[in-house]
Structures are given as C-alpha cells and as structure tokens.
C-alpha cells in the first residue's frame, strides 16, 4: 500500500508570504494528524482530524495556521502570513483508529527567510 | 495530559556494544507506548509498540523495549549496535482522554566503528 505522502518536500518562502502544505494519508485511514518540529526541539502535535472533522486543534500555534480536510481524504495546512518562527519540518501522519500506530510521511521542510 | 521525557539528547556507542535509550512517560490512563526511528531525510518509522499484554515487546532491526509500570518507563535496547542504527529515536505515548500522541524530544544515536 502507498504510505503517507507529503508535498512539497521542501519550501522556501519569504516572511509575509503564504504557503500551503499537503498531506495524503494512507487510503482508508480516518485519522490524520499534523505535527511540527522546530530545529532542535521536540515534535509537537498541531491537530487531529477524524475524517473531515477537527477532533483536536489544541496544538495550533495561532490563527495564521489553517488546516482543512475537505471530504475526509487529503489535508492541507496553510500558513498565512508566514513568520520566521514558522520554519521547521511539518509532519503528517495517519492511522486507522486512534490507538493504532501512526504512519508518518517524510515531512515538509519549511524555511522562512 | 500525557508527556514523555527522553534522557539524553545524544548517545554514542561503539559498534557491537549495547544500546540503551531511555524513555519515561506520564499518563492519566493506561498508556500506549511507541518508539519511532528517523533516518536522515526520511520520515518517522515505527520500531515497536506496547498496547496491552506482554510487557517486553520486540521490534524491527533487533530492538526491544520493556514497559515497566512501576517505573513509568519504556526504555529501548539492542544487544549489539550496528553502524546502520545511527539515527534519531523518538519515544511517544498515547495516554490521555484526547487519544493524541505526544513525543519525547528525541535521542540521536551515534555508532562508532
């Protein structure tokens, strides 16, 4: 089966611009998660979708971040406007149920200049 | 809320030596525990998991971990390190009412020839 795929793998943008990250979960996985790792720090939870609904978005840093999962398939994470502190690696993961292991994508490395 | 502490951000061992990566957790409910590994420029790959049952769990690549409730620990071990084990290792827990996963800060393992 195809794994979790993320696009793009790298993105370099200037402060103030907008960037949209995409995640395609494993087919049939209702649960989709976004995480972020800022350089040298731990992987931090951002939010969790169950199908198209946001189950938990307590980790979203601020209202410059908007995540969607229309139709319950792929998800997008938009950062608008991007700030320097948003740089990091953004991981997406999916799972069939909430207590099963999450399968991770390779991440999107986001650099804000 | 659940949390994870990994002791030692960097661990260095000689090839053939024992690998021991420490993980302690806190959880308000019986936890599900995971170890993930990240090789350079790749996503997180599941090494092993503990959900219920046998407290000593075996994973891929010769790794194993033991769930010790009395010590709230889930340390990762491998009897003999291989050069290919050099990577970053993350301990994670699902253990709260929200069923979301929380990660430790990661331990970077270096294997010396």
């Amino acid at each position: 089966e195809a794994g979790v795929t993320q696009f793009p793998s790298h993105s370099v943008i200037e402060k103030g611009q907008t960037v949209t990250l995409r995640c395609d979960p494993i087919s049939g996985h209702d649960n989709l998660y976004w995480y972020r790792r800022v350089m040298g720090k731990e992987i931090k939870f951002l939010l969790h979708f169950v199908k198209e609904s946001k189950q938990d978005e307590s980790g979203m840093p601020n209202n410059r971040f908007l995540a969607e999962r229309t139709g319950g398939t792929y998800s997008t994470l938009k950062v608008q406007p991007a700030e320097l502190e948003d740089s990091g690696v953004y991981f997406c993961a999916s799972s069939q149920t909430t207590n099963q292991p999450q399968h991770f994508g390779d991440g999107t490395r986001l650099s804000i200049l | 809320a659940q949390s994870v502490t990994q002791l030692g951000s960097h661990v260095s061992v000689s090839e053939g030596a024992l690998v021991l990566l420490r993980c302690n957790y806190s959880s308000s409910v019986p936890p599900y525990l995971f170890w993930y590994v990240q090789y350079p420029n790749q996503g997180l790959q599941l090494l092993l998991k503990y959900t219920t049952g046998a407290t000593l769990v075996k994973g891929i690549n010769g790794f194993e971990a033991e769930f010790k409730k009395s010590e709230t620990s889930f340390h990762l071990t491998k009897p003999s390190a291989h050069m290919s084990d050099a990577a970053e290792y993350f301990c994670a827990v699902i253990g709260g009412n929200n069923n979301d996963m929380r990660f430790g800060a990661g331990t970077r393992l270096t294997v010396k020839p």
Side-chain angles (χ1 to χ4, degrees), chain A residues 33 35 37 41-43 45 48 55-56 58 91 98-107 109, chain B residues 32 34 36 38 41-44 46 49 51 88 90 94 98-106:
Chain A
Y33 307 82
Y35 296 88
R37 189 179 194 201
K41 302 207 172 168
E42 72 269 27
I43 300 170
F45 166 80
H48 169 203
Q55 179 78 6
D56 180 358
S58 61
F91 291 104
T98 54
N99 56 14
Q100 287 190 336
Q102 297 174 19
H103 299 261
F104 281 77
D106 287 345
R109 186 172 299 277
Chain B
Y32 289 179
F34 308 85
Y36 284 86
Q38 185 182 21
N41 300 315
Q42 294 185 25
L44 281 75
L46 180 70
K49 67 179 191 285
T51 53
E88 192 159 18
F90 295 92
I94 294 176
N98 57 15
N99 277 329
D100 290 326
M101 184 178 287
R102 296 293 184 267
F103 285 86

Side-chain angles (χ1 to χ4, degrees), chain A residues 51-65:
Chain A
K51 297 185 180 178
E52 67 274 11
S53 299
K54 290 177 186 174
Q55 179 78 6
D56 180 358
E57 52 183 332
S58 61
M60 294 287 264
N62 51 59
N63 59 9
R64 294 185 292 103
F65 289 75

Side-chain angles (χ1 to χ4, degrees), chain A residues 1-4 26-27 29 96 103:
Chain A
E1 71 181 358
V4 176
I26 292 173
S27 178
H29 282 193
Q96 282 188 313
H103 299 261

